[in-house]
Amino acid sequence: MNIKNPQLKIQILAGIIAILLVVPIMYDMVYGFVLGFNSASAETVGYEAYPTGFEVIPTDSEFVESVNTNVGTLGFTDFKRELVLFLPAQHTSPAVNIISTITSVAAVLLTIYYIIAVFKMISTVMRQGIMSQAALGRLRKVSYTMLAVYILFTLSSCIPTWYYSKHILLDGYTLAYPRISEGFVIAFIFILLTEILNIALRLKEEQDLTI
């Protein structure tokens, strides 16, 4: 079967891969930065300048709130909500703050490296195609880097959650660990795809040598 303009199709597919690799991780980063920026404005209300973001789960599963609608008042269950707690200095842990900051900074730096690696991989794919050792090597590097970034970001949230859940009791709520990002699934999919393509490339090379 003849493929019309294969180079153009390779470029389009490479662009789609770049979008799938970059957009999820950038969304999570921007969301975190926006949350931090918005929480900083609350200092003017008289809170301490030690904001820490948490997800909380109500301890009571009954209808805890109601809302007015065009069909009347409806009750609803608040299964989970995201809070930014402003903790007094004496209730914060310098060690936890330092560890969380280090993991966050490491994640940001690794994200920059990751984005650069993505564009290098796309450039290689456009020149040599996906079924080449160079392209698969870059795809493997990008996939594992993406996984490492999400692990670091998750640690930067889970460590404070673990510590403060032992020291802070909320009336009617309990601190919950952050949800697992969808980026983990994307990273694992690309890791599996890389290994499958690598096996296929080796089989093709062995077949070519046999012929």
Side-chain angles (χ1 to χ4, degrees), residues 17-179:
I17 293 174
I19 292 173
L20 291 175
L21 287 170
V22 173
V23 169
I25 202 166
M26 291 303 299
Y27 171 81
D28 287 343
M29 279 191 61
V30 171
Y31 177 79
F33 284 128
V34 170
L35 182 63
F37 177 79
N38 290 338
S39 64
S41 62
E43 294 180 26
T44 58
V45 189
Y47 292 105
E48 296 286 345
Y50 300 96
T52 305
F54 295 108
E55 290 186 3
V56 296
I57 300 175
T59 55
D60 187 0
S61 61
E62 301 295 329
F63 286 146
V64 295
E65 295 186 48
S66 61
V67 60
N68 293 324
T69 71
N70 62 319
V71 294
T73 301
L74 301 179
F76 66 91
T77 302
D78 193 0
F79 286 109
K80 180 179 286 190
R81 65 170 57 178
E82 193 167 23
L83 301 179
V84 177
L85 301 179
F86 290 82
L87 308 174
Q90 64 269 23
H91 293 297
T92 61
S93 169
V96 171
N97 291 343
I98 290 173
I99 294 173
S100 182
T101 300
I102 290 175
T103 53
S104 296
V105 171
V108 171
L109 294 177
L110 196 59
T111 300
I112 296 173
Y113 170 80
Y114 164 81
I115 293 174
I116 295 173
V118 167
F119 285 105
K120 286 184 177 180
M121 182 204 69
I122 296 304
S123 176
T124 302
V125 170
M126 288 182 176
R127 293 195 316 269
Q128 303 181 23
I130 190 65
M131 295 300 291
S132 65
Q133 288 292 352
L136 290 179
R138 291 192 180 278
L139 180 58
R140 179 182 288 107
K141 182 184 296 185
V142 164
S143 302
Y144 281 100
T145 304
M146 183 181 191
L147 181 62
V149 167
Y150 278 110
I151 289 175
L152 286 173
F153 274 126
T154 301
L155 285 176
S156 67
S157 298
C158 287
I159 292 173
T161 300
W162 169 80
Y163 176 82
Y164 290 113
S165 65
K166 308 294 183 182
H167 296 81
I168 297 177
L169 299 178
L170 301 179
D171 187 19
Y173 290 91
T174 181
L175 293 181
Y177 286 97
R179 64 177 177 83

Side-chain angles (χ1 to χ4, degrees), residues 181-193:
S181 173
E182 296 83 358
F184 275 106
V185 178
I186 297 176
F188 278 117
I189 289 174
F190 274 102
I191 288 172
L192 293 175
L193 176 63

